[in-house]
Amino acid sequence: MRIRIEGTRAEIIDALFRLRLHFAIRAVSRVYPGRTRPQHWRVYLTTRPRERRRSL
């Protein structure tokens, strides 16, 4: 799955930490500047679902 995150640097970092709880992050693109807001940025992620642990 490919996910695009847009926001301030702090928002992007927070989103990355939260997404890692639910997805295995395979790749993170470089940070692209926002087109309309100079303080906003874009990052693209390639993810896959995190494998669930089986209970005994």
Side-chain angles (χ1 to χ4, degrees), residues 19-27 46-51:
L19 285 169
R20 286 179 189 216
L21 296 173
H22 303 284
F23 297 97
I25 306 296
R26 300 179 82 189
T46 304
T47 66
R48 61 183 167 82
R50 186 171 295 282
E51 293 184 20

Side-chain angles (χ1 to χ4, degrees), residues 10-48:
E11 290 170 335
I12 290 172
I13 291 168
D14 182 56
L16 285 171
F17 280 110
R18 291 172 187 262
L19 285 169
R20 286 179 189 216
L21 296 173
H22 303 284
F23 297 97
I25 306 296
R26 300 179 82 189
V28 179
S29 74
R30 69 179 185 90
V31 178
Y32 296 95
R35 294 181 182 156
T36 58
R37 297 179 185 163
Q39 69 274 17
H40 281 79
W41 303 88
R42 290 187 320 272
V43 173
Y44 297 90
L45 307 174
T46 304
T47 66
R48 61 183 167 82

